Short mmCIF file of all heavy atoms in Angstrom, two decimals:
data_model
loop_
_atom_site.label_atom_id
_atom_site.label_comp_id
_atom_site.label_asym_id
_atom_site.label_seq_id
_atom_site.Cartn_x
_atom_site.Cartn_y
_atom_site.Cartn_z
N TRP A 29 41.70 -84.36 -45.77
CA TRP A 29 41.68 -85.06 -47.05
C TRP A 29 40.94 -86.51 -46.96
O TRP A 29 39.97 -86.79 -47.65
CB TRP A 29 43.11 -85.27 -47.51
CG TRP A 29 43.40 -86.28 -48.57
CD1 TRP A 29 44.24 -87.34 -48.57
CD2 TRP A 29 42.75 -86.41 -49.92
NE1 TRP A 29 44.28 -88.14 -49.75
CE2 TRP A 29 43.37 -87.45 -50.62
CE3 TRP A 29 41.80 -85.68 -50.60
CZ2 TRP A 29 43.02 -87.86 -51.94
CZ3 TRP A 29 41.42 -86.13 -51.91
CH2 TRP A 29 41.99 -87.16 -52.45
N TYR A 32 37.27 -86.02 -46.50
CA TYR A 32 36.64 -85.82 -47.85
C TYR A 32 36.43 -87.18 -48.51
O TYR A 32 35.37 -87.48 -49.03
CB TYR A 32 37.41 -84.99 -48.70
CG TYR A 32 36.97 -84.74 -50.06
CD1 TYR A 32 35.90 -83.94 -50.39
CD2 TYR A 32 37.56 -85.48 -51.09
CE1 TYR A 32 35.42 -83.80 -51.72
CE2 TYR A 32 37.22 -85.40 -52.41
CZ TYR A 32 36.09 -84.60 -52.59
OH TYR A 32 35.62 -84.37 -54.01
N LEU A 33 37.51 -88.04 -48.49
CA LEU A 33 37.34 -89.36 -49.19
C LEU A 33 36.28 -90.14 -48.54
O LEU A 33 35.52 -90.83 -49.28
CB LEU A 33 38.79 -90.05 -49.04
CG LEU A 33 39.85 -89.47 -49.85
CD1 LEU A 33 41.22 -90.19 -49.70
CD2 LEU A 33 39.54 -89.46 -51.44
N VAL A 36 33.02 -89.12 -49.82
CA VAL A 36 32.54 -89.55 -51.23
C VAL A 36 32.69 -91.07 -51.37
O VAL A 36 32.58 -91.55 -52.56
CB VAL A 36 33.51 -88.90 -52.29
CG1 VAL A 36 33.26 -87.36 -52.25
CG2 VAL A 36 34.96 -89.28 -52.00
N VAL A 38 35.19 -93.35 -50.43
CA VAL A 38 36.53 -93.97 -50.86
C VAL A 38 37.21 -94.39 -49.42
O VAL A 38 37.47 -93.55 -48.73
CB VAL A 38 37.29 -93.08 -51.70
CG1 VAL A 38 38.73 -93.69 -51.88
CG2 VAL A 38 36.74 -92.77 -53.12
N ASP A 40 39.79 -96.99 -49.72
CA ASP A 40 41.05 -97.78 -50.11
C ASP A 40 41.89 -96.83 -51.08
O ASP A 40 41.37 -96.23 -51.89
CB ASP A 40 40.64 -99.02 -50.95
CG ASP A 40 41.88 -99.91 -51.10
OD1 ASP A 40 43.02 -99.34 -51.40
OD2 ASP A 40 41.76 -101.13 -50.98
N PRO A 41 43.13 -96.50 -50.73
CA PRO A 41 43.93 -95.67 -51.48
C PRO A 41 44.01 -96.02 -52.88
O PRO A 41 44.26 -95.21 -53.79
CB PRO A 41 45.37 -95.65 -50.72
CG PRO A 41 45.23 -96.87 -49.92
CD PRO A 41 43.96 -97.14 -49.56
N ARG A 42 43.89 -97.21 -53.28
CA ARG A 42 43.88 -97.74 -54.58
C ARG A 42 42.68 -97.19 -55.46
O ARG A 42 42.71 -97.29 -56.63
CB ARG A 42 43.92 -99.24 -54.69
CG ARG A 42 45.33 -99.85 -54.20
CD ARG A 42 45.29 -101.31 -53.94
NE ARG A 42 44.45 -101.73 -52.91
CZ ARG A 42 44.33 -103.00 -52.45
NH1 ARG A 42 45.06 -103.92 -53.03
NH2 ARG A 42 43.43 -103.21 -51.42
N GLU A 43 41.66 -96.86 -54.69
CA GLU A 43 40.45 -96.29 -55.40
C GLU A 43 40.57 -94.85 -55.68
O GLU A 43 39.61 -94.25 -56.32
CB GLU A 43 39.16 -96.58 -54.49
CG GLU A 43 39.03 -98.03 -54.24
CD GLU A 43 37.92 -98.27 -53.26
OE1 GLU A 43 37.29 -97.28 -52.86
OE2 GLU A 43 37.54 -99.36 -52.96
N VAL A 44 41.46 -94.20 -55.16
CA VAL A 44 41.57 -92.68 -55.27
C VAL A 44 41.99 -92.35 -56.76
O VAL A 44 42.95 -92.82 -57.24
CB VAL A 44 42.56 -92.10 -54.36
CG1 VAL A 44 42.76 -90.61 -54.60
CG2 VAL A 44 42.32 -92.36 -52.89
N GLY A 45 41.26 -91.52 -57.33
CA GLY A 45 41.56 -91.06 -58.77
C GLY A 45 41.80 -89.64 -58.87
O GLY A 45 41.67 -88.85 -57.84
N GLU A 46 42.26 -89.17 -59.99
CA GLU A 46 42.57 -87.73 -60.21
C GLU A 46 41.44 -86.76 -59.94
O GLU A 46 41.48 -85.74 -59.43
CB GLU A 46 43.11 -87.56 -61.64
CG GLU A 46 43.65 -86.16 -62.01
CD GLU A 46 44.10 -86.08 -63.31
OE1 GLU A 46 44.82 -87.01 -63.82
OE2 GLU A 46 43.75 -85.03 -64.07
N HIS A 47 40.12 -87.35 -60.27
CA HIS A 47 39.04 -86.52 -60.04
C HIS A 47 38.76 -86.18 -58.62
O HIS A 47 38.05 -85.38 -58.24
CB HIS A 47 37.85 -87.11 -60.75
CG HIS A 47 37.45 -88.56 -60.21
ND1 HIS A 47 38.25 -89.75 -60.47
CD2 HIS A 47 36.36 -88.86 -59.48
CE1 HIS A 47 37.58 -90.78 -59.83
NE2 HIS A 47 36.49 -90.23 -59.24
N HIS A 48 39.11 -87.16 -57.88
CA HIS A 48 38.91 -87.03 -56.30
C HIS A 48 39.71 -85.89 -55.87
O HIS A 48 39.42 -85.02 -55.07
CB HIS A 48 39.22 -88.31 -55.60
CG HIS A 48 38.25 -89.45 -55.73
ND1 HIS A 48 38.67 -90.62 -56.21
CD2 HIS A 48 36.95 -89.54 -55.60
CE1 HIS A 48 37.62 -91.38 -56.38
NE2 HIS A 48 36.56 -90.69 -56.01
N VAL A 49 41.13 -85.82 -56.43
CA VAL A 49 42.00 -84.77 -55.96
C VAL A 49 41.39 -83.43 -56.29
O VAL A 49 41.49 -82.52 -55.72
CB VAL A 49 43.37 -85.05 -56.42
CG1 VAL A 49 44.41 -84.07 -55.98
CG2 VAL A 49 43.88 -86.51 -56.05
N SER A 50 41.03 -83.46 -57.59
CA SER A 50 40.50 -82.16 -58.08
C SER A 50 39.22 -81.68 -57.44
O SER A 50 39.12 -80.46 -57.18
CB SER A 50 40.20 -82.22 -59.70
OG SER A 50 41.29 -82.70 -60.31
N GLY A 51 38.34 -82.69 -56.99
CA GLY A 51 37.25 -82.27 -56.29
C GLY A 51 37.55 -81.75 -54.93
O GLY A 51 36.84 -80.94 -54.36
N PHE A 52 38.59 -82.40 -54.32
CA PHE A 52 38.98 -81.91 -52.99
C PHE A 52 39.61 -80.42 -53.09
O PHE A 52 39.29 -79.71 -52.15
CB PHE A 52 40.09 -82.87 -52.47
CG PHE A 52 40.69 -82.52 -51.04
CD1 PHE A 52 39.71 -82.39 -49.92
CD2 PHE A 52 42.03 -82.28 -50.96
CE1 PHE A 52 40.42 -82.04 -48.76
CE2 PHE A 52 42.54 -81.89 -49.81
CZ PHE A 52 41.73 -81.81 -48.64
N VAL A 78 48.86 -83.85 -49.58
CA VAL A 78 48.20 -84.91 -50.15
C VAL A 78 49.09 -85.57 -51.25
O VAL A 78 49.09 -86.70 -51.33
CB VAL A 78 46.84 -84.37 -50.83
CG1 VAL A 78 46.21 -85.43 -51.76
CG2 VAL A 78 45.95 -83.92 -49.80
N HIS A 82 50.57 -89.58 -51.31
CA HIS A 82 50.35 -90.56 -52.39
C HIS A 82 51.56 -90.88 -53.21
O HIS A 82 51.79 -91.99 -53.69
CB HIS A 82 49.31 -89.94 -53.26
CG HIS A 82 47.85 -90.00 -52.70
ND1 HIS A 82 47.13 -91.25 -52.89
CD2 HIS A 82 47.12 -89.24 -52.01
CE1 HIS A 82 45.96 -91.16 -52.21
NE2 HIS A 82 45.99 -89.82 -51.62
N ALA A 93 49.82 -96.31 -59.09
CA ALA A 93 49.99 -94.83 -59.66
C ALA A 93 49.67 -93.78 -58.60
O ALA A 93 48.90 -94.10 -57.68
CB ALA A 93 49.19 -94.81 -60.93
N ASP A 94 50.12 -92.72 -58.84
CA ASP A 94 50.14 -91.53 -58.01
C ASP A 94 48.89 -90.67 -58.66
O ASP A 94 49.12 -90.01 -59.72
CB ASP A 94 51.25 -90.66 -57.82
CG ASP A 94 51.11 -89.44 -57.01
OD1 ASP A 94 50.04 -89.29 -56.55
OD2 ASP A 94 51.99 -88.62 -56.94
N PRO A 95 47.76 -90.52 -58.01
CA PRO A 95 46.63 -89.89 -58.64
C PRO A 95 46.71 -88.35 -58.59
O PRO A 95 46.04 -87.57 -59.13
CB PRO A 95 45.40 -90.28 -57.71
CG PRO A 95 45.98 -90.72 -56.44
CD PRO A 95 47.26 -91.21 -56.69
N THR A 96 47.81 -87.82 -57.78
CA THR A 96 48.01 -86.37 -57.58
C THR A 96 48.87 -85.88 -58.74
O THR A 96 49.17 -84.58 -58.81
CB THR A 96 48.37 -86.11 -56.23
OG1 THR A 96 49.83 -86.47 -56.11
CG2 THR A 96 47.59 -86.70 -55.23
N ALA A 97 49.52 -86.76 -59.44
CA ALA A 97 50.62 -86.33 -60.30
C ALA A 97 50.33 -85.36 -61.35
O ALA A 97 51.07 -84.41 -61.66
CB ALA A 97 51.32 -87.55 -60.94
N VAL A 99 47.54 -83.13 -61.18
CA VAL A 99 46.74 -82.15 -60.70
C VAL A 99 47.58 -80.95 -60.32
O VAL A 99 48.55 -81.13 -59.53
CB VAL A 99 46.04 -82.63 -59.48
CG1 VAL A 99 45.11 -81.52 -58.85
CG2 VAL A 99 45.13 -83.83 -59.79
#
Side-chain angles (χ1 to χ4, degrees):
W29 167 233
Y32 172 80
L33 291 177
V36 297
V38 175
D40 190 318
R42 289 170 294 187
E43 299 173 0
V44 177
E46 184 179 322
H47 64 287
H48 293 120
V49 183
S50 300
F52 179 59
V78 174
H82 284 275
D94 176 6
T96 70
V99 179

